[in-house]
Amino acid sequence: MHNNYYFLKKLSPALERELKGTVISECFSQNKDELIIRFETAGDPFFIKATLTPKLSSLSFPKDFHRARKNSVDLFETIIGRRVLGTKQFSNERSFCLQLSDNIAVLFKMHGNKGNVIVFEGVNSPMLFKNSLIADSKLVLNELDREIDWSSAAFPKDPADWQRHYFTFGKMVWQYLSAQGIDRMPDEEKWATVISMRDMLEVAEHFFTAEVNGKIVLSLLDYGNIKRTFNDPLAALNDFFYTITHVTNFEEQQQKLISTLTGKIQSSKNYYAKTFAKAKQVEQDNNYKVWADLIMANMHSIPAGADKVVVDNFYNENKPVEIKLRKDQSPQKNAETFYRKSKNQQIEIDKLQEILRHKKNEIERMEKEIEAVRDAQSLKQLNALGIVNSETEKANENEPLPYHEFIFKGYKIWVGKNAESNDTLTLKLSYKEDLWLHAKDVSGSHVLIKHQAGKNFPKDVIERAAELAAYNSKRKNDSLCPVIVTPKKFVRKRKGDPAGAVVVEKESVVMVVPRLS
């Protein structure tokens, strides 16, 4: 109801009392849907801020406004230096204008998502703040007044026509009348009730910030959950504007957090399901251990240089099983190879189980975070939860740097962002004592563990850096990834090599599970 005709009818004379005789010194915009007009008075300047977004079309009157040095543009130069002569409220219309010297007028057309500020200069074509509203270029200032036939003879018989005929009431007034039972009244009382409502709105002296049907509104009616009551329409509109923008910001942040957390939970659940299936598959695949045991049990009968052997499987009712062998290795060496692969399988199983535990805890934590976000009642409570997108914030903070930084056990781990930043990281920002890591045989980020004087690199720090190198590579979805580890002094770049390509002269390899956190 903040743009309702009856409210604007009280707002425009209140503005005249504030602005008559003042001079406009600035008119500018620093957001595409926001216009600021500054008026010079005998005391402090007066500001009108017109906010005309698709979600909110409203005026407000900040006590002070600091213009940005950048991204600010002057508008409507023709009104600068003009004196305010008064205001004009158009009859039965959600528009009023400031009448300026030299036959100039500034129209505030408060039509919801079609709100606009329009400058008329004599008979010239109007100048629009929102040029996308092409129809506004055809407005004629002295033709904006509208008429309503309030006689009993013109009262619509069909309730569906009431809102169209008495268009100045607006939705909330009709909600109020419906709550008062106008639909159930005798026909002769319905018209009288409408006239009574019109008279009540005309003489209303109080303005209410209230909550109606879960929304913050500015009302001339003592209706809904009243938050605050005002006698001054400017103060009431200011309170409504800052309340609604605060609530809107809170709701947007709340929904954004819920959406982000929901997406992360679903992603984690998908990863959990995939990892769980992989773990089950690896657990059931115990062939390496079985083959090694069968070779050891039948070593006396396996000829040297055999590339395969068929033996009875005492783990499966002595059914024959064929085992492929490396013919360049002895039966014992083949068995040792299978035992080693079996051991690696167990390492992989343990790692997968660790990931599953971590993901389960992560999902439970995020589900609790969603509950906390939904329970929050204000932006202050929401911010106190500390569930902002820290990853995005960290990326923004480090944007000028060619790497992402992780801290683990007091050691700095730097992960290159792309091929070009890999070169910068390895060739310009590293020292020969730093430890350099990279996923083996695939493209990926260069990773550095920064050296600390007098200290060796702990094994768990190397493994953590290797997990990051694996995750930031083409092997990020593998269950196990080999990662090169070497002192930076053994890494060099040949002339003519593409960005990110280097030569490693000495290396060792660790096997890790790709993991970001």
Side-chain angles (χ1 to χ4, degrees), residues 364-377:
E364 291 175 352
R365 172 181 58 78
M366 289 190 291
E367 287 174 341
K368 290 179 180 178
E369 288 178 344
I370 284 184
E371 291 179 10
V373 170
R374 285 180 174 146
D375 290 341
Q377 299 297 314

Side-chain angles (χ1 to χ4, degrees), residues 1-232:
M1 203 172 180
H2 62 289
N3 291 329
N4 180 276
Y5 162 68
Y6 296 99
F7 176 74
L8 294 179
K9 190 175 180 180
K10 299 178 185 302
L11 177 69
S12 53
L15 276 173
E16 179 172 311
R17 290 191 292 272
E18 291 284 344
L19 296 177
K20 189 172 182 177
T22 64
V23 174
I24 296 176
S25 60
E26 282 188 293
C27 181
F28 61 92
S29 177
Q30 50 197 42
N31 294 303
K32 69 171 185 175
D33 294 322
E34 180 183 276
L35 180 70
I36 309 296
I37 304 177
R38 173 175 171 145
F39 302 81
E40 299 303 330
T41 73
D44 295 330
F46 187 94
F47 295 89
I48 293 181
K49 179 167 77 170
T51 302
L52 304 171
T53 70
K55 291 184 178 181
L56 177 64
S57 178
S58 178
L59 300 179
S60 59
F61 315 101
K63 290 184 177 181
D64 196 5
F65 195 94
H66 298 287
R67 184 173 181 177
R69 294 183 179 180
K70 296 182 179 180
N71 301 320
S72 177
V73 58
D74 290 309
L75 296 174
F76 299 144
E77 292 183 5
T78 189
I79 72 174
I80 304 302
R82 298 302 191 271
R83 189 174 298 277
V84 178
L85 304 179
T87 64
K88 175 180 173 58
Q89 174 65 52
F90 296 95
S91 297
N92 302 312
E93 170 59 44
R94 292 178 294 163
S95 299
F96 69 92
C97 73
L98 297 180
Q99 297 170 315
L100 309 181
S101 57
D102 299 323
N103 198 26
I104 296 174
V106 180
L107 177 70
F108 294 91
K109 173 177 160 256
M110 307 310 295
H111 285 200
N113 60 8
K114 292 186 179 180
N116 207 350
V117 178
I118 306 166
V119 172
F120 293 82
E121 184 179 9
V123 296
N124 296 332
S125 299
M127 295 173 283
L128 313 182
F129 172 58
K130 300 191 75 172
N131 291 307
S132 58
L133 301 176
I134 300 174
D136 287 351
S137 63
K138 299 179 181 179
L139 291 177
V140 179
L141 199 61
N142 59 10
E143 295 179 2
L144 293 180
D145 292 314
R146 303 174 70 181
E147 296 294 331
I148 296 177
D149 188 343
W150 294 97
S151 68
S152 59
F155 184 75
K157 302 301 181 184
D158 187 351
D161 294 329
W162 292 352
Q163 294 190 40
R164 179 186 57 79
H165 187 78
Y166 304 112
F167 51 83
T168 55
F169 278 7
K171 291 182 180 179
M172 198 175 76
V173 173
W174 287 111
Q175 289 176 7
Y176 177 82
L177 289 173
S178 179
Q180 301 303 310
I182 189 173
D183 299 324
R184 301 185 299 275
M185 294 177 182
D187 289 344
E188 62 273 13
E189 290 185 21
K190 292 177 179 176
W191 172 78
T193 300
V194 168
I195 298 303
S196 177
M197 173 55 66
R198 179 200 64 183
D199 295 342
M200 182 190 303
L201 294 172
E202 289 279 7
V203 301
E205 296 180 350
H206 300 296
F207 312 95
F208 307 97
T209 303
E211 183 178 346
V212 178
N213 298 327
K215 294 183 178 180
I216 300 297
V217 299
L218 175 60
S219 174
L220 300 178
L221 304 171
D222 187 353
Y223 177 52
N225 181 15
I226 304 299
K227 303 292 186 181
R228 282 170 293 279
T229 304
F230 299 88
N231 297 322
D232 177 11

Side-chain angles (χ1 to χ4, degrees), residues 288-334:
Y288 292 135
K289 174 69 165 56
V290 171
W291 293 343
D293 289 346
L294 294 178
I295 290 173
M296 294 300 292
N298 294 277
M299 192 175 301
H300 61 284
S301 61
I302 300 175
D307 60 359
K308 62 181 178 181
V309 63
V310 177
V311 296
D312 293 334
N313 185 356
F314 47 74
Y315 288 111
N316 188 18
E317 300 177 353
N318 285 327
K319 292 180 180 179
V321 60
E322 181 179 278
I323 305 173
K324 292 183 179 180
L325 305 174
R326 291 187 59 173
K327 60 183 180 180
D328 59 334
Q329 292 184 349
S330 66
Q332 184 172 347
K333 283 292 184 181
N334 273 285

